[in-house]
């Protein structure tokens, strides 16, 4: 469902920074792939390419059979609403909206009817044990609570493709395990998952395949043997 | 150097939220204490009390022999500049300043002369392997790079007390280990460290004592046996 062909991303600030250096990779529908690598190796940039949130300097990005490279911003945003759930590394919650509204916005933008959206959002918040926070604002939440709101928002429209950038970084072990069980259940129901994580055990336990990055390149791509 | 006496913090939004519930604890000068607990248990709120960034609803907070409860905001800010280094859970970098200036600001506010501040800042950035990022802005950094800038800023004024809220959450294992070695070295030179972490191994490896929190209370306070 994802096909990257010689994708490079060079940022041009004071000094050119190559975040991705000629990456080619593919992910099949229904796969669970972990992406690992040192800080600054290009993991978040890679997810941004796949999500159409940023454009490559060169190369081609195809997701769900579509070449994202030629789409306009409006077409990209529409594509994302219905095809991709994203858990950002630093959550990107909307500070002026309550927890419930942060999640509802994602569902409604995906075209889900209000009553169904509300039902799904409420169920997700309950499953993530933050239902009691539905009416509070992001500034009134702990770090881990914010992370879970971001996760609910990414999952509410039941995306065919979930991109999760360190979804357990701000969570204690038990909450992190709950999140991973939820993500694994989503994958088991057919959705494709790409998980960026620094936690090798987490990757080994859930992913079928681990892509390793270093300095903007893929340096390893290993299918894991089932336990 | 830290003495909390029956400290409670209740936030009054739509519904009262008790973040801290009658906490009493003390930390001696030179100790390395880890604070652990589930998401929402009050860890960041606790650090905010000790740092004088927030006020308790009731109770008393003494740090470095001073009762913070009665200080004005200006006195609290001055106290922090010279006594406390804080690594925030979500970094709180100043987006309009470069990496180097983010770190320099902390040093200069602590009264360190410009040439010494520059020298210390540059040395820290090099040790944290982000010297090549000195002239870029926070928006141009990866998550782990931002975290390391926050760490450099917290350490540059060599505070007697370091409060670190999940300082390795956004880092790969190797970078995380580097950070912890740096913090351990700081503690070995006499500075007091309070480390919030979700990583039990990290706590066991570096801290002498682990305080466990749940629902705004301290539920365990265990001195670790030296390895
Ligand atoms: N907007 C930007 N402008 C300039 N450089 C950038 C930008 N975004 C990222 N970079 C640089 O590109 C490189 C890759 O960044 P990226 O965020 O993809 O890394 P990462 O693997 O996610 O790291 P981490 O584990 O620290 O989150 C880094 O060196 C970073 O400084
Ligand atoms: N500004 C605020 N207004 C209202 N409630 C708040 C505020 N800050 C924190 N809280 C609530 O107080 C409780 C404790 O929050 P705190 O941030 O201290 O938790 P934490 O232990 O650091 O959690 P995490 O591991 O998720 O970072 C949480 O339930 C949180 O929702
Ligand atoms: Mg990243
Ligand atoms: Mg916290």
């Amino acid at each position: 469902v994802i096909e990257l062909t010689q994708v490079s991303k060079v940022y041009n600030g004071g000094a050119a920074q190559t975040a991705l250096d000629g990456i080619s990779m593919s992910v099949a529908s229904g796969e669970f792939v972990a992406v690992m690598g040192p800080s600054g190796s290009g993991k978040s940039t890679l997810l941004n390419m796949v999500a159409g949130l940023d454009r490559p300097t060169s190369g081609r990005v195809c997701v769900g059979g579509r070449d994202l490279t030629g789409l306009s911003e409006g077409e990209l945003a529409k594509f994302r609403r219905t095809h991709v759930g994203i858990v950002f590394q630093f959550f990107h919650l909307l500070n002026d909206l309550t927890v419930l509204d942060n999640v509802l916005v994602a569902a409604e933008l995906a075209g889900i009817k209000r009553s169904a959206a509300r039902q799904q959002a409420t169920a997700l918040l309950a499953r993530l044990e933050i239902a009691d926070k539905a009416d509070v604002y992001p500034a009134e939440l702990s770090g881990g609570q914010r992370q879970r709101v971001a996760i609910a928002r990414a999952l509410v429209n039941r995306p065919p493709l979930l991109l999760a950038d360190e979804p357990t970084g701000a969570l204690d072990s038990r909450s992190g395990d709950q999140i991973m069980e939820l993500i694994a259940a989503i994958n088991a129901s057919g959705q494709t998952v790409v998980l960026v994580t620094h936690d090798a055990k987490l990757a080994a336990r859930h992913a079928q395949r681990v892509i390793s990055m270093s300095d903007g390149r893929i340096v390893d791509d290993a299918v894991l043997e089932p336990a």
Side-chain angles (χ1 to χ4, degrees), chain A residues 8-13 15-21 45 55-58:
Chain A
S8 288
K9 177 70 186 181
V10 182
Y11 290 102
N12 285 302
Q17 169 69 48
T18 299
L20 295 179
D21 190 6
T45 304
R55 291 179 191 279
T57 307
S58 59

Side-chain angles (χ1 to χ4, degrees), chain A residues 11-201:
Chain A
Y11 290 102
N12 285 302
Q17 169 69 48
T18 299
L20 295 179
D21 190 6
I23 291 220
S24 296
M25 69 178 257
S26 56
V27 175
S29 179
E31 270 197 289
F32 193 137
V33 178
V35 179
M36 302 188 68
S39 176
S41 57
K43 302 178 300 295
S44 294
T45 304
L46 179 68
L47 288 196
N48 285 340
M49 298 292 110
V50 174
L53 286 166
D54 203 356
R55 291 179 191 279
T57 307
S58 59
R60 192 177 66 210
V61 179
C62 292
V63 182
R66 302 189 67 179
D67 185 348
L68 303 191
T69 322
L71 298 187
S72 69
E73 292 299 319
E75 287 166 326
L76 282 173
K78 184 175 177 182
F79 162 78
R80 270 193 304 277
R81 292 181 198 128
T82 53
H83 285 81
V84 183
I86 311 166
V87 184
F88 292 98
Q89 193 169 8
F90 297 111
F91 324 144
H92 295 213
L93 299 180
L94 299 175
N95 291 323
D96 297 333
L97 298 186
T98 64
V99 162
L100 182 60
D101 285 342
N102 261 282
V103 182
L104 282 178
V105 153
E108 292 175 359
L109 282 174
I112 297 169
K113 288 180 182 174
R114 192 170 185 90
S115 63
R118 198 174 186 89
Q119 192 168 11
Q120 278 163 302
T122 304
L124 265 175
L125 292 178
R127 182 153 181 187
L128 295 164
E129 299 183 337
I130 44 173
D132 59 326
K133 300 289 182 185
D135 296 320
V136 305
Y137 291 85
E140 299 168 294
L141 297 173
S142 79
Q145 288 162 346
R146 291 182 204 172
Q147 190 156 48
R148 281 175 280 160
V149 176
I151 289 162
R153 182 184 60 186
L155 300 181
V156 73
N157 62 353
R158 295 178 187 179
L161 170 60
L162 175 65
L163 307 176
D165 199 344
E166 307 267 11
T168 59
L171 299 174
D172 57 279
S173 295
R174 176 178 165 273
S175 298
D177 287 346
Q178 286 178 330
I179 295 309
M180 289 313 304
E181 284 168 16
L182 184 55
I183 292 176
I186 281 159
N187 175 250
S189 75
Q191 287 151 300
T192 308
V193 175
V194 179
L195 169 74
V196 169
T197 179
H198 286 149
D199 189 332
K201 286 180 183 170

